[in-house]
Amino acid sequence: MKYCFNVKITDKDYMDFNYFHLFKSHYAKKQFQTARVVFSFLPLILWFASYALNGFSDEHFVTLVAYIPLSVIVFFTMKPFYKFIVKHQLRSTFRTGKKPYTADSVMEFYEDMFVEITPENRSQVNYSAVDSVYVVKGEIIYIYLNSALAHLIPYSVFESESQFNSFIEFIENKTKPVIYSL
C-alpha cells in the first residue's frame, strides 16, 4: 500500500463538491453556461418572435427597452439562483438524516488500484477507471469515476505539504492529467 487516508467528509464538503461539480467540472459547466445563455436571451427571442409576427410598433420598442435589462438580470442572477436551489435541496436531504454520501471512510492507494472502505461497503477501483482528477489547492481532491460519482479527499487528511505533493505526483502518474482549480 502506497497511501492510506482516514477520510471524513462534512456536509460543507459535500455542498462545496456540488457547487464545484455544477460550475467548474467539465461535466456540468458547459450545461450551466448553455442554460445561462438560453434563459438570458429568452426574453429577447420572444421579443423578436413577436416583432416577426406582428411587425414593428411603439409597443415593441418599449418592450425591447424592458427586455434588455431583464436579460442582463437573468444572466447575472442565474448562478446565485442555482446555488440557492442546490443549497436548499441538499439541506432538505440532510434533514432527513440519510446523507447522500458516506461521512467516514478509509482510502487505500496501491500501485494498480485504490480501495475505499466504508462501514457498509468495500470498493476497488482500477486507475484506468478514473475519468478525471480535480485538485482545489489547499482544500480538496475530487477523483471522478464518471459524471455521477466522485471520491472526495479533503486536504486535511495529509500530514504535510510534501505528502500532499507526493500523492499528487503519484495520482498524476496513475490517471489522466490532474486538473488544478481555484
Side-chain angles (χ1 to χ4, degrees):
M1 175 177 8
K2 185 87 170 150
Y3 296 95
C4 181
F5 304 116
N6 291 317
V7 177
K8 295 192 184 315
I9 303 297
T10 65
D11 289 352
K12 182 186 178 319
D13 292 333
Y14 188 73
M15 198 171 290
D16 289 346
F17 166 70
N18 279 273
Y19 294 151
F20 177 88
H21 181 75
L22 184 61
F23 301 122
K24 295 186 178 179
S25 75
H26 68 275
Y27 299 105
K29 182 178 182 179
K30 191 173 188 176
Q31 291 173 339
F32 169 73
Q33 296 295 359
T34 301
R36 186 182 216 182
V37 169
V38 167
F39 284 116
S40 295
F41 283 104
L42 191 58
L44 296 175
I45 292 168
L46 292 173
W47 176 85
F48 187 75
S50 174
Y51 169 72
L53 292 173
N54 302 322
F56 186 76
S57 69
D58 290 342
E59 285 180 7
H60 280 97
F61 181 74
V62 171
T63 55
L64 176 63
V65 170
Y67 281 175
I68 289 174
L70 180 61
S71 292
V72 171
I73 289 168
V74 168
F75 183 83
F76 287 109
T77 60
M78 242 352 227
K79 188 172 182 176
F81 179 71
Y82 269 47
K83 274 187 158 184
F84 172 78
I85 296 297
V86 168
K87 185 178 183 178
H88 179 70
Q89 287 176 332
L90 289 177
R91 285 203 171 148
S92 176
T93 303
F94 295 157
R95 273 186 245 130
T96 65
K98 179 81 172 113
K99 300 205 185 262
Y101 63 92
T102 304
D104 296 312
S105 66
V106 175
M107 298 280 298
E108 299 175 345
F109 291 84
Y110 298 89
E111 285 299 321
D112 57 340
M113 68 179 168
F114 67 93
V115 178
E116 180 185 40
I117 304 165
T118 68
E120 302 85 25
N121 195 15
R122 181 180 196 278
S123 63
Q124 291 181 192
V125 178
N126 290 332
Y127 293 114
S128 60
V130 172
D131 186 61
S132 59
V133 178
Y134 286 89
V135 175
V136 181
K137 187 85 170 161
E139 291 182 33
I140 201 159
I141 299 169
Y142 302 121
I143 301 175
Y144 277 92
L145 302 183
N146 56 46
S147 65
L149 179 63
H151 294 278
L152 285 62
I153 304 175
Y155 187 76
S156 61
V157 303
F158 298 99
E159 295 171 2
S160 66
E161 184 74 25
S162 63
Q163 184 188 35
F164 170 80
N165 292 333
S166 172
F167 178 75
I168 293 299
E169 185 177 315
F170 173 77
I171 287 295
E172 283 179 330
N173 290 327
K174 299 294 181 184
T175 66
K176 294 181 170 71
V178 172
I179 302 161
Y180 292 88
S181 180
L182 299 174

